[in-house]
Amino acid sequence: MDDYPLLDLFWTMLWFFLWIMWLFLLFKIITDIFRDDELSGWGKAGWLILCLVLPFIGVLIYVIARGTGMTQRETARARDAEAAFQDYIRETAGPGAGGTGSAGDELTRLVGLKERGALTEEEFQKAKAKILA
């Protein structure tokens, strides 16, 4: 253990950590290249080749040239995912689960359930009476 002093261990760990950070950035950039709808196929191929053939320089050039757009695209994707999730929650919860749906909407939904066979005539009548009450 005398051949590998503590300072060398520190430098090795630092370089390893930086290499791992670079790998994460490389994968993030490759993901961004493929998800960018505005970039043409040739543009995607060019950026991908640059990042794979000249990895350190290619990643640095990509971050400098397209870093702001990368952030904007990621923010837009997160916003769209949140909106889709909220729509799904509203659709799944439905107006009967604390929403502001009208009695007509509820009756329409009940008729649809009855027609599909999800409700029996007795269950339909009970639910209809509850809505109209």
Side-chain angles (χ1 to χ4, degrees), residues 8-9 12 18 23-24 31 35-36 38-39 55 104 107 126:
D8 287 344
L9 178 65
T12 301
L18 290 174
L23 277 177
F24 274 103
T31 303
R35 286 184 178 175
D36 188 3
E38 297 172 5
L39 198 58
L107 286 174
K126 284 181 183 179

Side-chain angles (χ1 to χ4, degrees), residues 69-96:
M70 191 172 159
T71 303
Q72 292 168 348
R73 286 185 293 278
E74 185 67 29
T75 303
R77 268 192 296 277
R79 193 178 314 114
D80 292 344
E82 178 66 23
F85 177 70
Q86 292 299 328
D87 288 344
Y88 172 75
I89 294 293
R90 279 188 218 96
E91 179 183 308
T92 303

